[in-house]
Amino acid sequence: MTQQHPGEHMAAEISEQPAVLAGLVERQAGIAEVAEKVSQNPPRFALLAARGSSDHAALYAKYLIEVLLGLPAGLVSPSTATLYGARPDLRDVLFVTVSQSGGSPDLIEVTEAARRQGALTVSVTNTLDSPLRAAAELGVDIGAGVEKAVAATKTYSATLLALYLFIDAIRGGQGADAEKLGELAQQTLDGAAEGVQRAVDRYRFVDRVLTTGRGYSYATALEGSLKLAETSYLAARAYSGADLLHGPVAAVDGETAVLAVTSAGPGGRAMAEVLDAVGKRGADVLAVGSAAAEVPAALRIPVAPSAEELAPILEILPVQRIALGLSLARGGDPDSPRGLLKVTKTR
């Protein structure tokens, strides 16, 4: 029997992402068919339900829906339905539930409740035969394949892309900006390798990490914080760049490592004031993104340029590698974080 090495699965699944993303682009016709059914009865607004990494993907989708579709969108609290029995009128509402496993009882229950209340329900999941897919009227298949590591990597980036292709198709798009995403992902992984190793060496003994981004990239900051916490057991916190300036910046000092997501576009440009503020407080800044070279930072990791709304799919790749590297350097096994299971069931 071959002995498994720590982080083996996570490393392999990170490396699979260019192929997974390219394959999803090739299969976008199936996603477009689901989007067409949504377009036939345009919703008044959209609601999204998710947990964990999928919740960060749902936040990304919220930005897409508000910016690309011009619709109000919100993240629901499943417990309002599961614990408190709330049953709002959801007629003419698009209700999207995002779950890689499709097995969490609260997400299944809130989807069933939304469907009974008149919403058009859509599951976005990596498990076609899951209870969530059965609960929703329509389903978008992530198609990332089996993921063995506890920490989500390829399922996360594939979820982002599936959501983008779905929302773009609702507005009549054909995913043109995502056509070369698999190639861009490979370029990002290859181009970031040296910077990732330098980051691991630099932050190996750090205790506090703050992640931050704005716009679409806020989802990357949240997911990056989660990855660092669950694989390396770091005290990691994520803030929108705007929220960071509204108070938490006071806790930043020379002992704080700041991972700033800065990709080209309005969101990245809005980070200039944030990085100026944390820099003045002595923070050690690691900038990740296609605009990383343009901001003040102790260390920069480039990301292949793309349309801003697709940047989070690429930005997270080097951050995943940093989480993997830090976990191994600190003596951990990111494939089996303590106290965690692949599928977390909540109500």
Side-chain angles (χ1 to χ4, degrees), residues 20 33-34 41 127 132 138 178 182 210 220 224 240 263 266 273 275 335:
V20 169
E33 291 178 4
V34 179
N41 294 287
T127 312
L132 176 61
L138 303 171
L210 186 152
T220 307
S240 154
S263 286
E273 181 183 5
L275 296 184
D335 286 344

Side-chain angles (χ1 to χ4, degrees), residues 188 191-197 199 286-290 292 299-303 318 322:
T188 295
E194 181 180 348
V196 166
Q197 187 57 56
L286 164 61
V288 176
S290 57
L299 184 60
R300 300 175 180 86
I301 297 179
V303 168
I322 291 170

Side-chain angles (χ1 to χ4, degrees), residues 167-178:
I167 294 164
D168 181 58
I170 291 174
R171 66 170 178 169
Q174 298 180 340
D177 286 338

Side-chain angles (χ1 to χ4, degrees), residues 212-213 217 260-264 267-269 271-272 275 287-293 295 315:
T212 183
S217 296
V261 189
T262 54
S263 286
R269 289 194 294 273
M271 286 296 293
L275 296 184
V288 176
S290 57
V295 300
E315 296 162 349

Side-chain angles (χ1 to χ4, degrees), residues 20 34 85 91 157 166 265:
V20 169
V34 179
R91 287 172 292 180
S157 60
F166 173 57

Side-chain angles (χ1 to χ4, degrees), residues 46 48 59-75 167 216:
L48 300 116
L59 176 65
Y60 166 71
K62 179 180 184 294
Y63 274 88
L64 291 174
I65 292 168
E66 291 180 345
V67 176
L68 302 187
L69 300 184
L71 292 177
L75 302 178
I167 294 164
Y216 295 109

Side-chain angles (χ1 to χ4, degrees), residues 157-209:
S157 60
T159 299
L160 295 186
L161 179 55
L163 286 165
Y164 171 79
L165 293 173
F166 173 57
I167 294 164
D168 181 58
I170 291 174
R171 66 170 178 169
Q174 298 180 340
D177 286 338
E179 183 179 352
K180 302 293 184 182
L181 204 60
E183 296 176 22
L184 295 177
Q186 191 63 61
Q187 290 175 24
T188 295
L189 286 172
D190 292 344
E194 181 180 348
V196 166
Q197 187 57 56
R198 290 175 61 197
V200 170
D201 293 340
R202 188 178 187 94
Y203 302 115
R204 178 176 178 177
F205 299 108
V206 74
D207 291 320
R208 266 191 307 157
V209 178

Side-chain angles (χ1 to χ4, degrees), residues 63-192:
Y63 274 88
L64 291 174
I65 292 168
E66 291 180 345
V67 176
L68 302 187
L69 300 184
L71 292 177
L75 302 178
V76 306
S77 300
S79 60
T80 60
T82 62
L83 301 184
Y84 296 99
R87 295 294 184 266
D89 182 354
L90 297 180
R91 287 172 292 180
D92 300 321
V93 172
L94 173 63
F95 193 99
V96 181
T97 309
V98 187
S99 172
Q100 292 144 15
S101 70
S104 187
D106 54 353
L107 296 180
I108 296 163
E109 186 175 339
V110 75
T111 303
E112 292 172 338
R115 189 170 180 177
R116 287 194 297 269
Q117 293 304 113
L120 174 59
T121 53
V122 180
S123 68
V124 180
T125 178
N126 197 45
T127 312
L128 281 175
D129 59 353
S130 66
L132 176 61
R133 175 62 191 93
E137 184 175 346
L138 303 171
V140 171
D141 179 19
I142 296 170
V146 176
E147 190 172 59
K148 296 181 180 179
V150 170
T153 54
K154 64 178 182 177
T155 54
Y156 177 74
S157 60
T159 299
L160 295 186
L161 179 55
L163 286 165
Y164 171 79
L165 293 173
F166 173 57
I167 294 164
D168 181 58
I170 291 174
R171 66 170 178 169
Q174 298 180 340
D177 286 338
E179 183 179 352
K180 302 293 184 182
L181 204 60
E183 296 176 22
L184 295 177
Q186 191 63 61
Q187 290 175 24
T188 295
L189 286 172
D190 292 344

